[in-house]
PDB file of all heavy atoms in Angstrom:
ATOM      1  N   GLU A  38      -8.720  38.986 -14.591  1.00 80.00           N
ATOM      2  CA  GLU A  38      -9.510  40.138 -14.328  1.00 80.00           C
ATOM      3  C   GLU A  38      -8.957  41.036 -13.177  1.00 80.00           C
ATOM      4  O   GLU A  38      -9.456  42.147 -12.949  1.00 80.00           O
ATOM      5  CB  GLU A  38     -10.937  39.704 -13.951  1.00 80.00           C
ATOM      6  CG  GLU A  38     -11.659  38.979 -15.087  1.00 80.00           C
ATOM      7  CD  GLU A  38     -13.012  38.528 -14.697  1.00 80.00           C
ATOM      8  OE1 GLU A  38     -13.375  38.631 -13.471  1.00 80.00           O
ATOM      9  OE2 GLU A  38     -13.765  38.037 -15.546  1.00 80.00           O
ATOM     10  N   GLY A  39      -7.980  40.501 -12.444  1.00 88.00           N
ATOM     11  CA  GLY A  39      -7.394  41.312 -11.384  1.00 88.00           C
ATOM     12  C   GLY A  39      -6.943  40.496 -10.205  1.00 88.00           C
ATOM     13  O   GLY A  39      -7.006  39.270 -10.200  1.00 88.00           O
ATOM     14  N   THR A  40      -6.442  41.219  -9.169  1.00 93.00           N
ATOM     15  CA  THR A  40      -5.888  40.567  -7.942  1.00 93.00           C
ATOM     16  C   THR A  40      -6.654  40.995  -6.755  1.00 93.00           C
ATOM     17  O   THR A  40      -7.001  42.200  -6.593  1.00 93.00           O
ATOM     18  CB  THR A  40      -4.428  40.930  -7.807  1.00 93.00           C
ATOM     19  OG1 THR A  40      -3.701  40.480  -8.969  1.00 93.00           O
ATOM     20  CG2 THR A  40      -3.834  40.298  -6.578  1.00 93.00           C
ATOM     21  N   THR A  41      -6.892  40.062  -5.827  1.00 93.00           N
ATOM     22  CA  THR A  41      -7.575  40.354  -4.551  1.00 93.00           C
ATOM     23  C   THR A  41      -6.734  39.771  -3.441  1.00 93.00           C
ATOM     24  O   THR A  41      -6.261  38.625  -3.485  1.00 93.00           O
ATOM     25  CB  THR A  41      -8.964  39.696  -4.528  1.00 93.00           C
ATOM     26  OG1 THR A  41      -9.779  40.243  -5.562  1.00 93.00           O
ATOM     27  CG2 THR A  41      -9.656  39.953  -3.190  1.00 93.00           C
ATOM     28  N   PHE A  42      -6.543  40.547  -2.390  1.00 95.00           N
ATOM     29  CA  PHE A  42      -5.784  40.112  -1.186  1.00 95.00           C
ATOM     30  C   PHE A  42      -6.553  40.576   0.020  1.00 95.00           C
ATOM     31  O   PHE A  42      -6.940  41.727   0.136  1.00 95.00           O
ATOM     32  CB  PHE A  42      -4.359  40.729  -1.189  1.00 95.00           C
ATOM     33  CG  PHE A  42      -3.714  40.598   0.148  1.00 95.00           C
ATOM     34  CD1 PHE A  42      -3.177  39.406   0.567  1.00 95.00           C
ATOM     35  CD2 PHE A  42      -3.601  41.723   1.013  1.00 95.00           C
ATOM     36  CE1 PHE A  42      -2.553  39.310   1.818  1.00 95.00           C
ATOM     37  CE2 PHE A  42      -3.015  41.613   2.227  1.00 95.00           C
ATOM     38  CZ  PHE A  42      -2.462  40.423   2.635  1.00 95.00           C
ATOM     39  N   ASN A  43      -6.768  39.678   0.962  1.00 95.00           N
ATOM     40  CA  ASN A  43      -7.384  39.961   2.264  1.00 95.00           C
ATOM     41  C   ASN A  43      -6.604  39.274   3.379  1.00 95.00           C
ATOM     42  O   ASN A  43      -6.161  38.139   3.210  1.00 95.00           O
ATOM     43  CB  ASN A  43      -8.820  39.469   2.315  1.00 95.00           C
ATOM     44  CG  ASN A  43      -9.744  40.280   1.440  1.00 95.00           C
ATOM     45  OD1 ASN A  43      -9.975  39.949   0.256  1.00 95.00           O
ATOM     46  ND2 ASN A  43     -10.307  41.366   1.962  1.00 95.00           N
ATOM     47  N   ALA A  44      -6.535  39.915   4.493  1.00 96.00           N
ATOM     48  CA  ALA A  44      -5.929  39.312   5.704  1.00 96.00           C
ATOM     49  C   ALA A  44      -6.698  39.771   6.906  1.00 96.00           C
ATOM     50  O   ALA A  44      -7.149  40.940   6.977  1.00 96.00           O
ATOM     51  CB  ALA A  44      -4.463  39.705   5.819  1.00 96.00           C
ATOM     52  N   LEU A  45      -6.889  38.858   7.856  1.00 96.00           N
ATOM     53  CA  LEU A  45      -7.712  39.118   9.040  1.00 96.00           C
ATOM     54  C   LEU A  45      -9.084  39.619   8.617  1.00 96.00           C
ATOM     55  O   LEU A  45      -9.543  40.666   9.036  1.00 96.00           O
ATOM     56  CB  LEU A  45      -7.002  40.134   9.969  1.00 96.00           C
ATOM     57  CG  LEU A  45      -5.680  39.729  10.535  1.00 96.00           C
ATOM     58  CD1 LEU A  45      -5.129  40.846  11.379  1.00 96.00           C
ATOM     59  CD2 LEU A  45      -5.761  38.421  11.286  1.00 96.00           C
ATOM     60  N   GLY A  46      -9.735  38.789   7.808  1.00 95.00           N
ATOM     61  CA  GLY A  46     -11.058  39.149   7.294  1.00 95.00           C
ATOM     62  C   GLY A  46     -10.982  40.376   6.421  1.00 95.00           C
ATOM     63  O   GLY A  46     -10.240  40.442   5.473  1.00 95.00           O
ATOM     64  N   PRO A  47     -11.772  41.445   6.739  1.00 95.00           N
ATOM     65  CA  PRO A  47     -11.765  42.628   5.917  1.00 95.00           C
ATOM     66  C   PRO A  47     -10.748  43.694   6.376  1.00 95.00           C
ATOM     67  O   PRO A  47     -10.726  44.726   5.794  1.00 95.00           O
ATOM     68  CB  PRO A  47     -13.180  43.134   6.115  1.00 95.00           C
ATOM     69  CG  PRO A  47     -13.492  42.802   7.505  1.00 95.00           C
ATOM     70  CD  PRO A  47     -12.837  41.474   7.766  1.00 95.00           C
ATOM     71  N   VAL A  48      -9.958  43.390   7.422  1.00 97.00           N
ATOM     72  CA  VAL A  48      -9.084  44.431   7.970  1.00 97.00           C
ATOM     73  C   VAL A  48      -8.065  44.904   6.945  1.00 97.00           C
ATOM     74  O   VAL A  48      -7.942  46.066   6.649  1.00 97.00           O
ATOM     75  CB  VAL A  48      -8.417  43.930   9.254  1.00 97.00           C
ATOM     76  CG1 VAL A  48      -7.424  44.973   9.767  1.00 97.00           C
ATOM     77  CG2 VAL A  48      -9.460  43.642  10.340  1.00 97.00           C
ATOM     78  N   PHE A  49      -7.318  43.962   6.368  1.00 97.00           N
ATOM     79  CA  PHE A  49      -6.351  44.323   5.336  1.00 97.00           C
ATOM     80  C   PHE A  49      -6.923  43.842   4.014  1.00 97.00           C
ATOM     81  O   PHE A  49      -7.255  42.689   3.820  1.00 97.00           O
ATOM     82  CB  PHE A  49      -5.022  43.586   5.574  1.00 97.00           C
ATOM     83  CG  PHE A  49      -4.356  43.974   6.880  1.00 97.00           C
ATOM     84  CD1 PHE A  49      -4.531  43.207   8.040  1.00 97.00           C
ATOM     85  CD2 PHE A  49      -3.568  45.130   6.991  1.00 97.00           C
ATOM     86  CE1 PHE A  49      -3.983  43.551   9.204  1.00 97.00           C
ATOM     87  CE2 PHE A  49      -3.007  45.463   8.187  1.00 97.00           C
ATOM     88  CZ  PHE A  49      -3.173  44.664   9.303  1.00 97.00           C
ATOM     89  N   GLU A  50      -6.991  44.752   3.048  1.00 97.00           N
ATOM     90  CA  GLU A  50      -7.547  44.474   1.715  1.00 97.00           C
ATOM     91  C   GLU A  50      -6.812  45.222   0.640  1.00 97.00           C
ATOM     92  O   GLU A  50      -6.495  46.415   0.781  1.00 97.00           O
ATOM     93  CB  GLU A  50      -9.025  44.821   1.657  1.00 97.00           C
ATOM     94  CG  GLU A  50      -9.663  44.474   0.318  1.00 97.00           C
ATOM     95  CD  GLU A  50     -11.140  44.720   0.266  1.00 97.00           C
ATOM     96  OE1 GLU A  50     -11.645  45.413   1.160  1.00 97.00           O
ATOM     97  OE2 GLU A  50     -11.815  44.216  -0.640  1.00 97.00           O
ATOM     98  N   LYS A  51      -6.497  44.508  -0.431  1.00 96.00           N
ATOM     99  CA  LYS A  51      -5.854  45.120  -1.592  1.00 96.00           C
ATOM    100  C   LYS A  51      -6.402  44.494  -2.870  1.00 96.00           C
ATOM    101  O   LYS A  51      -6.374  43.308  -3.037  1.00 96.00           O
ATOM    102  CB  LYS A  51      -4.313  44.902  -1.600  1.00 96.00           C
ATOM    103  CG  LYS A  51      -3.592  45.477  -2.787  1.00 96.00           C
ATOM    104  CD  LYS A  51      -3.613  47.011  -2.700  1.00 96.00           C
ATOM    105  CE  LYS A  51      -2.744  47.645  -3.801  1.00 96.00           C
ATOM    106  NZ  LYS A  51      -3.339  47.468  -5.148  1.00 96.00           N
ATOM    107  N   THR A  52      -7.051  45.355  -3.668  1.00 94.00           N
ATOM    108  CA  THR A  52      -7.562  44.933  -4.981  1.00 94.00           C
ATOM    109  C   THR A  52      -7.055  45.906  -6.026  1.00 94.00           C
ATOM    110  O   THR A  52      -6.374  46.909  -5.682  1.00 94.00           O
ATOM    111  CB  THR A  52      -9.058  44.904  -5.000  1.00 94.00           C
ATOM    112  OG1 THR A  52      -9.590  46.242  -4.864  1.00 94.00           O
ATOM    113  CG2 THR A  52      -9.640  44.064  -3.850  1.00 94.00           C
ATOM    114  N   ASP A  53      -7.407  45.666  -7.263  1.00 93.00           N
ATOM    115  CA  ASP A  53      -6.991  46.620  -8.318  1.00 93.00           C
ATOM    116  C   ASP A  53      -7.734  47.947  -8.172  1.00 93.00           C
ATOM    117  O   ASP A  53      -7.278  48.956  -8.738  1.00 93.00           O
ATOM    118  CB  ASP A  53      -7.320  46.009  -9.716  1.00 93.00           C
ATOM    119  CG  ASP A  53      -6.474  44.778  -9.987  1.00 93.00           C
ATOM    120  OD1 ASP A  53      -5.453  44.565  -9.309  1.00 93.00           O
ATOM    121  OD2 ASP A  53      -6.840  44.031 -10.894  1.00 93.00           O
ATOM    122  N   GLU A  54      -8.868  47.954  -7.471  1.00 93.00           N
ATOM    123  CA  GLU A  54      -9.649  49.155  -7.323  1.00 93.00           C
ATOM    124  C   GLU A  54      -9.387  49.914  -6.014  1.00 93.00           C
ATOM    125  O   GLU A  54      -9.591  51.133  -5.918  1.00 93.00           O
ATOM    126  CB  GLU A  54     -11.141  48.868  -7.419  1.00 93.00           C
ATOM    127  CG  GLU A  54     -11.621  48.447  -8.805  1.00 93.00           C
ATOM    128  CD  GLU A  54     -11.298  46.997  -9.090  1.00 93.00           C
ATOM    129  OE1 GLU A  54     -11.210  46.193  -8.104  1.00 93.00           O
ATOM    130  OE2 GLU A  54     -11.125  46.616 -10.244  1.00 93.00           O
ATOM    131  N   ALA A  55      -8.990  49.221  -4.938  1.00 96.00           N
ATOM    132  CA  ALA A  55      -8.916  49.876  -3.621  1.00 96.00           C
ATOM    133  C   ALA A  55      -7.880  49.239  -2.748  1.00 96.00           C
ATOM    134  O   ALA A  55      -7.497  48.049  -2.925  1.00 96.00           O
ATOM    135  CB  ALA A  55     -10.294  49.809  -2.956  1.00 96.00           C
TER     136      ALA A  55
END
Side-chain angles (χ1 to χ4, degrees):
E38 297 178 353
T40 301
T41 299
F42 165 77
N43 291 91
L45 299 180
V48 174
F49 299 94
E50 181 176 16
K51 178 70 173 70
T52 68
D53 295 343
E54 291 78 28

